[in-house]
Amino acid sequence: HVQLVESGGGSTQTGGSLVLACTASTRPKCMAWFRQGPGKEREGVANIWTADHTTYYADSVRGRFTISHDSATNTMYLQMNNVKPEDSAMYYCAARDVGCRNDPEGFNTWGQGTQVTVSS
């Protein structure tokens, strides 16, 4: 059973950058980032197939965020650039041993979450 450990996050101002990392104990087929703001449902941010690094981005972050995966360390990253206040949320990494999908219901392994706060 894969285990996920997140790091990174924190606070920054609009237009700033942050990096999130998620290290897996094994190499799942798909790793993903989700986020959940106060009073909101958990939403998909980006995902990546670890075998060929095919990626998916939500429209709200495409062009600003970059997801990547280091196969040597089984670590997934989320480079967040030009962040906005609406990016503020708890960010969770997730993994599954089948293909990627942008639906939190399809993932059974989750990291502990890391808070991202963007001030205007």
Side-chain angles (χ1 to χ4, degrees):
H1 183 69
V2 63
Q3 294 181 322
L4 305 174
V5 177
E6 297 185 42
S7 60
S11 300
T12 189
Q13 294 182 330
T14 298
S17 296
L18 289 169
V19 178
L20 308 182
C22 174
T23 299
S25 56
T26 63
R27 196 183 84 168
K29 288 189 176 180
C30 176
M31 296 184 73
W33 290 102
F34 291 85
R35 66 186 181 187
Q36 188 167 17
K40 298 182 178 180
E41 293 186 353
R42 193 167 295 189
E43 64 173 352
V45 175
N47 60 54
I48 186 166
W49 292 66
T50 60
D52 64 6
H53 293 172
T54 298
T55 59
Y56 162 86
Y57 295 94
D59 290 343
S60 58
V61 306
R62 188 175 293 115
R64 300 187 297 120
F65 292 8
T66 302
I67 189 171
S68 61
H69 179 262
D70 183 339
S71 298
T73 61
N74 287 328
T75 300
M76 174 180 65
Y77 298 94
L78 186 69
Q79 174 70 48
M80 306 168 63
N81 295 330
N82 191 24
V83 294
K84 305 175 181 180
E86 51 264 42
D87 294 321
S88 297
M90 185 70 78
Y91 282 70
Y92 297 91
C93 68
R96 53 188 263 146
D97 276 324
V98 290
C100 282
R101 59 186 292 176
N102 190 41
D103 176 3
E105 296 299 321
F107 289 80
N108 57 6
T109 303
W110 293 86
Q112 77 276 18
T114 185
Q115 179 68 40
V116 169
T117 303
V118 182
S119 59
S120 57

mmCIF file of all heavy atoms in Angstrom, residues 46-88:
data_model
loop_
_atom_site.group_PDB
_atom_site.id
_atom_site.type_symbol
_atom_site.label_atom_id
_atom_site.label_comp_id
_atom_site.label_asym_id
_atom_site.label_seq_id
_atom_site.Cartn_x
_atom_site.Cartn_y
_atom_site.Cartn_z
ATOM 1 N N ALA A 46 -4.217 18.929 -11.118
ATOM 2 C CA ALA A 46 -3.372 18.380 -12.169
ATOM 3 C C ALA A 46 -3.084 16.923 -11.839
ATOM 4 O O ALA A 46 -3.157 16.520 -10.675
ATOM 5 C CB ALA A 46 -2.064 19.161 -12.289
ATOM 6 N N ASN A 47 -2.779 16.148 -12.884
ATOM 7 C CA ASN A 47 -2.335 14.783 -12.643
ATOM 8 C C ASN A 47 -1.288 14.378 -13.653
ATOM 9 O O ASN A 47 -1.106 15.043 -14.694
ATOM 10 C CB ASN A 47 -3.507 13.790 -12.591
ATOM 11 C CG ASN A 47 -4.306 13.736 -13.868
ATOM 12 O OD1 ASN A 47 -3.765 13.519 -14.948
ATOM 13 N ND2 ASN A 47 -5.615 13.906 -13.750
ATOM 14 N N ILE A 48 -0.581 13.284 -13.355
ATOM 15 C CA ILE A 48 0.516 12.849 -14.209
ATOM 16 C C ILE A 48 0.631 11.333 -14.184
ATOM 17 O O ILE A 48 0.529 10.700 -13.130
ATOM 18 C CB ILE A 48 1.850 13.517 -13.772
ATOM 19 C CG1 ILE A 48 2.970 13.184 -14.750
ATOM 20 C CG2 ILE A 48 2.220 13.130 -12.343
ATOM 21 C CD1 ILE A 48 4.202 14.075 -14.562
ATOM 22 N N TRP A 49 0.765 10.752 -15.365
ATOM 23 C CA TRP A 49 1.070 9.333 -15.484
ATOM 24 C C TRP A 49 2.563 9.191 -15.234
ATOM 25 O O TRP A 49 3.379 9.795 -15.926
ATOM 26 C CB TRP A 49 0.723 8.819 -16.879
ATOM 27 C CG TRP A 49 -0.724 8.778 -17.195
ATOM 28 C CD1 TRP A 49 -1.580 9.835 -17.329
ATOM 29 C CD2 TRP A 49 -1.495 7.608 -17.456
ATOM 30 N NE1 TRP A 49 -2.841 9.394 -17.655
ATOM 31 C CE2 TRP A 49 -2.820 8.013 -17.747
ATOM 32 C CE3 TRP A 49 -1.211 6.242 -17.497
ATOM 33 C CZ2 TRP A 49 -3.838 7.118 -18.054
ATOM 34 C CZ3 TRP A 49 -2.225 5.345 -17.807
ATOM 35 C CH2 TRP A 49 -3.521 5.789 -18.070
ATOM 36 N N THR A 50 2.935 8.373 -14.270
ATOM 37 C CA THR A 50 4.342 8.304 -13.890
ATOM 38 C C THR A 50 5.192 7.566 -14.922
ATOM 39 O O THR A 50 6.397 7.749 -14.945
ATOM 40 C CB THR A 50 4.509 7.628 -12.526
ATOM 41 O OG1 THR A 50 3.982 6.299 -12.603
ATOM 42 C CG2 THR A 50 3.768 8.402 -11.443
ATOM 43 N N ALA A 51 4.595 6.757 -15.769
ATOM 44 C CA ALA A 51 5.368 5.989 -16.752
ATOM 45 C C ALA A 51 5.860 6.863 -17.902
ATOM 46 O O ALA A 51 7.031 6.797 -18.283
ATOM 47 C CB ALA A 51 4.546 4.831 -17.278
ATOM 48 N N ASP A 52 4.961 7.674 -18.457
ATOM 49 C CA ASP A 52 5.355 8.475 -19.620
ATOM 50 C C ASP A 52 5.214 9.978 -19.391
ATOM 51 O O ASP A 52 5.427 10.759 -20.317
ATOM 52 C CB ASP A 52 4.543 8.062 -20.849
ATOM 53 C CG ASP A 52 3.046 8.329 -20.694
ATOM 54 O OD1 ASP A 52 2.632 8.930 -19.687
ATOM 55 O OD2 ASP A 52 2.293 7.938 -21.598
ATOM 56 N N HIS A 53 4.806 10.364 -18.190
ATOM 57 C CA HIS A 53 4.693 11.772 -17.790
ATOM 58 C C HIS A 53 3.642 12.537 -18.577
ATOM 59 O O HIS A 53 3.747 13.763 -18.725
ATOM 60 C CB HIS A 53 6.051 12.468 -17.856
ATOM 61 C CG HIS A 53 7.023 11.946 -16.844
ATOM 62 N ND1 HIS A 53 8.349 12.308 -16.814
ATOM 63 C CD2 HIS A 53 6.854 11.066 -15.829
ATOM 64 C CE1 HIS A 53 8.956 11.683 -15.817
ATOM 65 N NE2 HIS A 53 8.065 10.907 -15.204
ATOM 66 N N THR A 54 2.648 11.848 -19.075
ATOM 67 C CA THR A 54 1.497 12.547 -19.645
ATOM 68 C C THR A 54 0.802 13.322 -18.536
ATOM 69 O O THR A 54 0.610 12.795 -17.433
ATOM 70 C CB THR A 54 0.510 11.543 -20.255
ATOM 71 O OG1 THR A 54 1.169 10.842 -21.317
ATOM 72 C CG2 THR A 54 -0.712 12.252 -20.803
ATOM 73 N N THR A 55 0.446 14.563 -18.825
ATOM 74 C CA THR A 55 -0.121 15.421 -17.792
ATOM 75 C C THR A 55 -1.505 15.930 -18.162
ATOM 76 O O THR A 55 -1.904 15.937 -19.327
ATOM 77 C CB THR A 55 0.778 16.640 -17.530
ATOM 78 O OG1 THR A 55 0.929 17.372 -18.757
ATOM 79 C CG2 THR A 55 2.137 16.228 -17.016
ATOM 80 N N TYR A 56 -2.224 16.339 -17.137
ATOM 81 C CA TYR A 56 -3.524 16.983 -17.284
ATOM 82 C C TYR A 56 -3.561 18.158 -16.323
ATOM 83 O O TYR A 56 -3.046 18.065 -15.198
ATOM 84 C CB TYR A 56 -4.657 16.011 -16.955
ATOM 85 C CG TYR A 56 -5.969 16.721 -16.675
ATOM 86 C CD1 TYR A 56 -6.828 17.063 -17.712
ATOM 87 C CD2 TYR A 56 -6.311 17.099 -15.374
ATOM 88 C CE1 TYR A 56 -8.004 17.752 -17.462
ATOM 89 C CE2 TYR A 56 -7.487 17.786 -15.118
ATOM 90 C CZ TYR A 56 -8.327 18.108 -16.165
ATOM 91 O OH TYR A 56 -9.484 18.795 -15.909
ATOM 92 N N TYR A 57 -4.167 19.258 -16.775
ATOM 93 C CA TYR A 57 -4.337 20.427 -15.917
ATOM 94 C C TYR A 57 -5.779 20.899 -15.949
ATOM 95 O O TYR A 57 -6.425 20.902 -16.999
ATOM 96 C CB TYR A 57 -3.444 21.577 -16.379
ATOM 97 C CG TYR A 57 -1.969 21.308 -16.266
ATOM 98 C CD1 TYR A 57 -1.247 20.813 -17.341
ATOM 99 C CD2 TYR A 57 -1.294 21.542 -15.066
ATOM 100 C CE1 TYR A 57 0.107 20.560 -17.233
ATOM 101 C CE2 TYR A 57 0.064 21.299 -14.956
ATOM 102 C CZ TYR A 57 0.752 20.798 -16.047
ATOM 103 O OH TYR A 57 2.105 20.552 -15.925
ATOM 104 N N ALA A 58 -6.256 21.346 -14.809
ATOM 105 C CA ALA A 58 -7.540 22.020 -14.777
ATOM 106 C C ALA A 58 -7.412 23.358 -15.500
ATOM 107 O O ALA A 58 -6.336 23.974 -15.502
ATOM 108 C CB ALA A 58 -7.979 22.246 -13.332
ATOM 109 N N ASP A 59 -8.484 23.804 -16.104
ATOM 110 C CA ASP A 59 -8.464 25.064 -16.846
ATOM 111 C C ASP A 59 -8.000 26.225 -15.966
ATOM 112 O O ASP A 59 -7.332 27.143 -16.430
ATOM 113 C CB ASP A 59 -9.849 25.378 -17.406
ATOM 114 C CG ASP A 59 -10.248 24.445 -18.534
ATOM 115 O OD1 ASP A 59 -9.348 23.777 -19.107
ATOM 116 O OD2 ASP A 59 -11.443 24.384 -18.859
ATOM 117 N N SER A 60 -8.354 26.178 -14.707
ATOM 118 C CA SER A 60 -8.064 27.295 -13.803
ATOM 119 C C SER A 60 -6.574 27.470 -13.517
ATOM 120 O O SER A 60 -6.144 28.539 -13.068
ATOM 121 C CB SER A 60 -8.817 27.107 -12.488
ATOM 122 O OG SER A 60 -8.461 25.870 -11.885
ATOM 123 N N VAL A 61 -5.776 26.427 -13.783
ATOM 124 C CA VAL A 61 -4.347 26.518 -13.456
ATOM 125 C C VAL A 61 -3.451 26.329 -14.674
ATOM 126 O O VAL A 61 -2.231 26.537 -14.588
ATOM 127 C CB VAL A 61 -3.944 25.486 -12.372
ATOM 128 C CG1 VAL A 61 -4.828 25.640 -11.147
ATOM 129 C CG2 VAL A 61 -3.995 24.065 -12.908
ATOM 130 N N ARG A 62 -4.047 25.929 -15.798
ATOM 131 C CA ARG A 62 -3.219 25.652 -16.986
ATOM 132 C C ARG A 62 -2.462 26.911 -17.390
ATOM 133 O O ARG A 62 -3.005 28.001 -17.453
ATOM 134 C CB ARG A 62 -4.099 25.163 -18.130
ATOM 135 C CG ARG A 62 -3.310 24.670 -19.347
ATOM 136 C CD ARG A 62 -4.219 24.076 -20.408
ATOM 137 N NE ARG A 62 -4.853 22.843 -19.936
ATOM 138 C CZ ARG A 62 -6.164 22.715 -19.746
ATOM 139 N NH1 ARG A 62 -6.976 23.725 -19.972
ATOM 140 N NH2 ARG A 62 -6.662 21.564 -19.330
ATOM 141 N N GLY A 63 -1.170 26.741 -17.638
ATOM 142 C CA GLY A 63 -0.331 27.870 -18.012
ATOM 143 C C GLY A 63 0.346 28.536 -16.822
ATOM 144 O O GLY A 63 1.278 29.328 -16.993
ATOM 145 N N ARG A 64 -0.127 28.227 -15.626
ATOM 146 C CA ARG A 64 0.482 28.814 -14.415
ATOM 147 C C ARG A 64 1.150 27.753 -13.543
ATOM 148 O O ARG A 64 2.168 28.021 -12.908
ATOM 149 C CB ARG A 64 -0.585 29.543 -13.592
ATOM 150 C CG ARG A 64 -1.272 30.673 -14.325
ATOM 151 C CD ARG A 64 -2.197 31.467 -13.391
ATOM 152 N NE ARG A 64 -3.276 30.655 -12.862
ATOM 153 C CZ ARG A 64 -3.480 30.438 -11.558
ATOM 154 N NH1 ARG A 64 -2.653 30.964 -10.664
ATOM 155 N NH2 ARG A 64 -4.497 29.686 -11.157
ATOM 156 N N PHE A 65 0.569 26.577 -13.505
ATOM 157 C CA PHE A 65 1.092 25.488 -12.682
ATOM 158 C C PHE A 65 1.751 24.443 -13.573
ATOM 159 O O PHE A 65 1.322 24.219 -14.708
ATOM 160 C CB PHE A 65 -0.022 24.813 -11.890
ATOM 161 C CG PHE A 65 -0.636 25.658 -10.803
ATOM 162 C CD1 PHE A 65 -0.335 27.000 -10.650
ATOM 163 C CD2 PHE A 65 -1.547 25.086 -9.924
ATOM 164 C CE1 PHE A 65 -0.918 27.770 -9.656
ATOM 165 C CE2 PHE A 65 -2.141 25.828 -8.921
ATOM 166 C CZ PHE A 65 -1.816 27.179 -8.794
ATOM 167 N N THR A 66 2.771 23.776 -13.041
ATOM 168 C CA THR A 66 3.440 22.691 -13.760
ATOM 169 C C THR A 66 3.588 21.499 -12.826
ATOM 170 O O THR A 66 4.150 21.630 -11.730
ATOM 171 C CB THR A 66 4.823 23.123 -14.261
ATOM 172 O OG1 THR A 66 4.681 24.258 -15.116
ATOM 173 C CG2 THR A 66 5.480 21.987 -15.039
ATOM 174 N N ILE A 67 3.068 20.363 -13.268
ATOM 175 C CA ILE A 67 3.219 19.127 -12.511
ATOM 176 C C ILE A 67 4.354 18.327 -13.116
ATOM 177 O O ILE A 67 4.553 18.317 -14.336
ATOM 178 C CB ILE A 67 1.896 18.315 -12.513
ATOM 179 C CG1 ILE A 67 1.971 17.143 -11.548
ATOM 180 C CG2 ILE A 67 1.530 17.855 -13.911
ATOM 181 C CD1 ILE A 67 0.629 16.432 -11.356
ATOM 182 N N SER A 68 5.129 17.684 -12.269
ATOM 183 C CA SER A 68 6.238 16.869 -12.751
ATOM 184 C C SER A 68 6.451 15.701 -11.802
ATOM 185 O O SER A 68 5.932 15.689 -10.678
ATOM 186 C CB SER A 68 7.514 17.696 -12.871
ATOM 187 O OG SER A 68 7.901 18.208 -11.610
ATOM 188 N N HIS A 69 7.210 14.725 -12.272
ATOM 189 C CA HIS A 69 7.470 13.534 -11.467
ATOM 190 C C HIS A 69 8.906 13.094 -11.658
ATOM 191 O O HIS A 69 9.373 12.957 -12.798
ATOM 192 C CB HIS A 69 6.521 12.396 -11.873
ATOM 193 C CG HIS A 69 6.741 11.125 -11.123
ATOM 194 N ND1 HIS A 69 7.477 10.083 -11.632
ATOM 195 C CD2 HIS A 69 6.330 10.741 -9.890
ATOM 196 C CE1 HIS A 69 7.512 9.098 -10.753
ATOM 197 N NE2 HIS A 69 6.817 9.469 -9.677
ATOM 198 N N ASP A 70 9.602 12.902 -10.564
ATOM 199 C CA ASP A 70 10.975 12.413 -10.573
ATOM 200 C C ASP A 70 10.935 10.909 -10.315
ATOM 201 O O ASP A 70 10.680 10.482 -9.182
ATOM 202 C CB ASP A 70 11.788 13.140 -9.502
ATOM 203 C CG ASP A 70 13.254 12.743 -9.504
ATOM 204 O OD1 ASP A 70 13.591 11.658 -10.030
ATOM 205 O OD2 ASP A 70 14.061 13.496 -8.962
ATOM 206 N N SER A 71 11.188 10.122 -11.349
ATOM 207 C CA SER A 71 11.109 8.675 -11.204
ATOM 208 C C SER A 71 12.167 8.115 -10.259
ATOM 209 O O SER A 71 11.964 7.076 -9.639
ATOM 210 C CB SER A 71 11.242 8.012 -12.580
ATOM 211 O OG SER A 71 10.183 8.420 -13.422
ATOM 212 N N ALA A 72 13.285 8.789 -10.149
ATOM 213 C CA ALA A 72 14.366 8.284 -9.292
ATOM 214 C C ALA A 72 13.995 8.337 -7.814
ATOM 215 O O ALA A 72 14.439 7.501 -7.021
ATOM 216 C CB ALA A 72 15.634 9.085 -9.536
ATOM 217 N N THR A 73 13.182 9.314 -7.446
ATOM 218 C CA THR A 73 12.822 9.487 -6.038
ATOM 219 C C THR A 73 11.332 9.277 -5.779
ATOM 220 O O THR A 73 10.881 9.413 -4.641
ATOM 221 C CB THR A 73 13.205 10.892 -5.550
ATOM 222 O OG1 THR A 73 12.478 11.857 -6.323
ATOM 223 C CG2 THR A 73 14.698 11.138 -5.703
ATOM 224 N N ASN A 74 10.570 8.944 -6.830
ATOM 225 C CA ASN A 74 9.110 8.795 -6.702
ATOM 226 C C ASN A 74 8.480 10.036 -6.084
ATOM 227 O O ASN A 74 7.570 9.941 -5.243
ATOM 228 C CB ASN A 74 8.756 7.564 -5.870
ATOM 229 C CG ASN A 74 9.003 6.271 -6.618
ATOM 230 O OD1 ASN A 74 8.865 6.218 -7.841
ATOM 231 N ND2 ASN A 74 9.390 5.232 -5.898
ATOM 232 N N THR A 75 8.975 11.187 -6.492
ATOM 233 C CA THR A 75 8.459 12.448 -5.964
ATOM 234 C C THR A 75 7.752 13.234 -7.059
ATOM 235 O O THR A 75 8.298 13.415 -8.151
ATOM 236 C CB THR A 75 9.581 13.295 -5.361
ATOM 237 O OG1 THR A 75 10.207 12.566 -4.298
ATOM 238 C CG2 THR A 75 9.041 14.608 -4.814
ATOM 239 N N MET A 76 6.560 13.676 -6.743
ATOM 240 C CA MET A 76 5.777 14.519 -7.642
ATOM 241 C C MET A 76 5.855 15.954 -7.142
ATOM 242 O O MET A 76 5.853 16.196 -5.927
ATOM 243 C CB MET A 76 4.320 14.053 -7.640
ATOM 244 C CG MET A 76 3.377 14.940 -8.414
ATOM 245 S SD MET A 76 1.672 14.349 -8.387
ATOM 246 C CE MET A 76 1.254 14.516 -6.646
ATOM 247 N N TYR A 77 5.950 16.873 -8.089
ATOM 248 C CA TYR A 77 6.037 18.288 -7.744
ATOM 249 C C TYR A 77 4.886 19.061 -8.393
ATOM 250 O O TYR A 77 4.367 18.669 -9.431
ATOM 251 C CB TYR A 77 7.359 18.885 -8.232
ATOM 252 C CG TYR A 77 8.576 18.252 -7.609
ATOM 253 C CD1 TYR A 77 9.237 17.209 -8.247
ATOM 254 C CD2 TYR A 77 9.059 18.707 -6.384
ATOM 255 C CE1 TYR A 77 10.347 16.619 -7.674
ATOM 256 C CE2 TYR A 77 10.178 18.126 -5.811
ATOM 257 C CZ TYR A 77 10.819 17.081 -6.457
ATOM 258 O OH TYR A 77 11.917 16.500 -5.880
ATOM 259 N N LEU A 78 4.549 20.160 -7.756
ATOM 260 C CA LEU A 78 3.635 21.118 -8.367
ATOM 261 C C LEU A 78 4.280 22.492 -8.238
ATOM 262 O O LEU A 78 4.348 23.049 -7.138
ATOM 263 C CB LEU A 78 2.262 21.108 -7.696
ATOM 264 C CG LEU A 78 1.218 21.994 -8.397
ATOM 265 C CD1 LEU A 78 0.834 21.398 -9.759
ATOM 266 C CD2 LEU A 78 -0.036 22.144 -7.524
ATOM 267 N N GLN A 79 4.779 22.994 -9.368
ATOM 268 C CA GLN A 79 5.329 24.343 -9.417
ATOM 269 C C GLN A 79 4.168 25.293 -9.678
ATOM 270 O O GLN A 79 3.507 25.199 -10.713
ATOM 271 C CB GLN A 79 6.370 24.447 -10.529
ATOM 272 C CG GLN A 79 6.905 25.855 -10.744
ATOM 273 C CD GLN A 79 7.781 26.337 -9.607
ATOM 274 O OE1 GLN A 79 8.676 25.625 -9.173
ATOM 275 N NE2 GLN A 79 7.526 27.551 -9.119
ATOM 276 N N MET A 80 3.942 26.188 -8.746
ATOM 277 C CA MET A 80 2.821 27.113 -8.834
ATOM 278 C C MET A 80 3.370 28.515 -9.076
ATOM 279 O O MET A 80 4.024 29.085 -8.206
ATOM 280 C CB MET A 80 2.013 27.076 -7.532
ATOM 281 C CG MET A 80 1.563 25.677 -7.138
ATOM 282 S SD MET A 80 0.923 25.599 -5.445
ATOM 283 C CE MET A 80 -0.499 26.671 -5.579
ATOM 284 N N ASN A 81 3.109 29.056 -10.248
ATOM 285 C CA ASN A 81 3.569 30.396 -10.605
ATOM 286 C C ASN A 81 2.382 31.321 -10.800
ATOM 287 O O ASN A 81 1.272 30.885 -11.095
ATOM 288 C CB ASN A 81 4.398 30.360 -11.888
ATOM 289 C CG ASN A 81 5.687 29.587 -11.733
ATOM 290 O OD1 ASN A 81 6.273 29.528 -10.655
ATOM 291 N ND2 ASN A 81 6.149 29.005 -12.825
ATOM 292 N N ASN A 82 2.635 32.606 -10.650
ATOM 293 C CA ASN A 82 1.589 33.611 -10.847
ATOM 294 C C ASN A 82 0.315 33.245 -10.087
ATOM 295 O O ASN A 82 -0.783 33.264 -10.651
ATOM 296 C CB ASN A 82 1.299 33.764 -12.342
ATOM 297 C CG ASN A 82 0.429 34.960 -12.656
ATOM 298 O OD1 ASN A 82 0.382 35.929 -11.894
ATOM 299 N ND2 ASN A 82 -0.278 34.906 -13.775
ATOM 300 N N VAL A 83 0.493 32.930 -8.829
ATOM 301 C CA VAL A 83 -0.650 32.463 -8.038
ATOM 302 C C VAL A 83 -1.626 33.602 -7.775
ATOM 303 O O VAL A 83 -1.261 34.788 -7.801
ATOM 304 C CB VAL A 83 -0.193 31.818 -6.718
ATOM 305 C CG1 VAL A 83 0.587 30.549 -6.998
ATOM 306 C CG2 VAL A 83 0.624 32.806 -5.886
ATOM 307 N N LYS A 84 -2.867 33.203 -7.525
ATOM 308 C CA LYS A 84 -3.945 34.152 -7.290
ATOM 309 C C LYS A 84 -4.612 33.830 -5.947
ATOM 310 O O LYS A 84 -4.498 32.709 -5.462
ATOM 311 C CB LYS A 84 -4.984 34.034 -8.406
ATOM 312 C CG LYS A 84 -4.419 34.194 -9.803
ATOM 313 C CD LYS A 84 -5.487 33.932 -10.854
ATOM 314 C CE LYS A 84 -4.928 34.056 -12.264
ATOM 315 N NZ LYS A 84 -5.963 33.797 -13.288
ATOM 316 N N PRO A 85 -5.332 34.774 -5.373
ATOM 317 C CA PRO A 85 -6.023 34.481 -4.111
ATOM 318 C C PRO A 85 -6.942 33.266 -4.208
ATOM 319 O O PRO A 85 -7.082 32.516 -3.227
ATOM 320 C CB PRO A 85 -6.798 35.766 -3.844
ATOM 321 C CG PRO A 85 -5.976 36.830 -4.491
ATOM 322 C CD PRO A 85 -5.419 36.192 -5.729
ATOM 323 N N GLU A 86 -7.548 33.060 -5.359
ATOM 324 C CA GLU A 86 -8.449 31.917 -5.516
ATOM 325 C C GLU A 86 -7.718 30.580 -5.539
ATOM 326 O O GLU A 86 -8.348 29.526 -5.541
ATOM 327 C CB GLU A 86 -9.313 32.061 -6.777
ATOM 328 C CG GLU A 86 -8.555 32.374 -8.047
ATOM 329 C CD GLU A 86 -8.534 33.861 -8.361
ATOM 330 O OE1 GLU A 86 -8.336 34.680 -7.419
ATOM 331 O OE2 GLU A 86 -8.701 34.210 -9.546
ATOM 332 N N ASP A 87 -6.384 30.610 -5.581
ATOM 333 C CA ASP A 87 -5.610 29.369 -5.463
ATOM 334 C C ASP A 87 -5.450 28.944 -4.002
ATOM 335 O O ASP A 87 -4.958 27.853 -3.728
ATOM 336 C CB ASP A 87 -4.221 29.544 -6.080
ATOM 337 C CG ASP A 87 -4.254 29.751 -7.578
ATOM 338 O OD1 ASP A 87 -5.080 29.096 -8.252
ATOM 339 O OD2 ASP A 87 -3.460 30.573 -8.083
ATOM 340 N N SER A 88 -5.842 29.798 -3.084
ATOM 341 C CA SER A 88 -5.729 29.463 -1.663
ATOM 342 C C SER A 88 -6.602 28.259 -1.342
ATOM 343 O O SER A 88 -7.793 28.243 -1.649
ATOM 344 C CB SER A 88 -6.157 30.655 -0.801
ATOM 345 O OG SER A 88 -5.312 31.761 -0.999
#
